[in-house]
Amino acid sequence: MSSLKWDGYVHSIFDRTVNLQCRTNDELYTIANRQMDNAPNTLITDMGSFSDRGLVVGDRVYAEHDRLYVGKALVLTLRDVRVWRSKLPSYADDEGVLRSNAAAAASFIEIHGKAGGMKRSAETVNSIDQEMERLLRERSTGLLEALSKGEVSFATHYAIQLIGLGPGLTPSGDDFLVGLFTVMNLTDGPLFQIRHVCEQVVAAAADRSNPISYMALKKAASGQARESIGGFMHHMIHGSKTEVISGLSRVLDIGSTSGTDIALGLVNGLKLSIERNGR
């Protein structure tokens, strides 16, 4: 984003973030406040709220002389910006630690995760919500079973059927895939050799989900994850249970149900990896 040739416009405005559409590569970029963690295509600032700064969707955004101009309401200095890059750990050398941590994480999600997306709600009475939960469960189960058997075409089919499914700005099915795609990109992992499934799914995703969710899927498909997710994965593979729960808590805090949906994708992906390696 620090390139002086950057040019685009304001795509969407939220309290803690502003999303920018780049005209050059058609990707979304995000300006965020300090409550957010580092992530692909994201610039963290010391700003408070963005929703009351007079920004308007469609405002031009451009860089010039080490400054980023966001409409007429916001100017950011880029001179001292530090580049952050996503880095995932390699797959576990000791699956005993990973197996134990995966069990602890699954139990924590069951107790503390937010229901209503991938996690089933015990209080759902609305027939539409019940059907949504059924579809999420059916398609995610089909996806995991297909990956377990190495049936790439079936896995791709089920994954595409998850896109855009569920509540939230980033739908639950998309968030689950973000977590699963992250695991599939762990170097030396049992799913690494079939990670091309991720790219195939993303190719079909643009017309099935919104631009914000699509960008998260696109980045996860190439192993680019936000800092809290990368930290959690590191703890799952190398850390203690205390570190795992601490890292998991940060992931669960993402969005409304998004954190839980992502975490379930991560944990189920790791469990599947352990299962495939045991054959």
Side-chain angles (χ1 to χ4, degrees), residues 20 23 43 46 65 68 71 76 88 99 105 108 113 123 125 132 139 213 218 220 234-235 255 258-259:
L20 315 175
R23 300 184 196 277
L43 175 65
D46 290 323
H65 303 306
L68 183 70
L76 299 173
L88 294 175
R99 184 179 290 105
F108 192 84
E123 301 177 356
V125 293
M132 187 69 70
R139 294 173 184 180
S213 192
K218 180 180 179 180
H234 178 83
H235 293 319
S258 287

Side-chain angles (χ1 to χ4, degrees), residues 91-208:
Y91 188 70
D93 291 326
D94 183 355
E95 279 193 333
V97 171
L98 178 58
R99 184 179 290 105
S100 177
N101 284 342
S107 296
F108 192 84
I109 294 170
E110 183 62 31
I111 297 171
H112 300 285
K114 298 173 185 175
M118 295 301 303
K119 183 184 175 186
R120 191 172 183 177
S121 174
E123 301 177 356
T124 300
V125 293
N126 183 298
S127 60
I128 296 177
D129 290 343
Q130 287 179 336
E131 177 64 7
M132 187 69 70
E133 286 189 352
R134 184 190 71 79
L135 290 173
L136 285 167
R137 187 166 60 253
E138 178 183 274
R139 294 173 184 180
S140 60
T141 299
L143 169 58
L144 293 170
E145 289 179 351
L147 289 173
S148 176
K149 298 173 183 177
E151 297 173 340
V152 172
S153 61
F154 283 113
T156 302
H157 167 77
Y158 280 115
I160 290 173
Q161 293 302 310
L162 276 172
I163 297 170
L165 186 64
L169 176 63
T170 53
S172 295
D174 298 34
D175 287 329
F176 180 83
L177 290 174
V178 165
L180 182 60
F181 286 179
T182 300
V183 175
M184 294 181 72
N185 277 277
L186 295 181
T187 306
D188 299 326
L191 300 175
F192 190 73
Q193 294 303 319
I194 56 173
R195 68 190 185 283
H196 59 277
V197 168
C198 305
E199 298 293 346
Q200 293 173 1
V201 174
V202 168
D207 297 331
R208 290 175 172 266

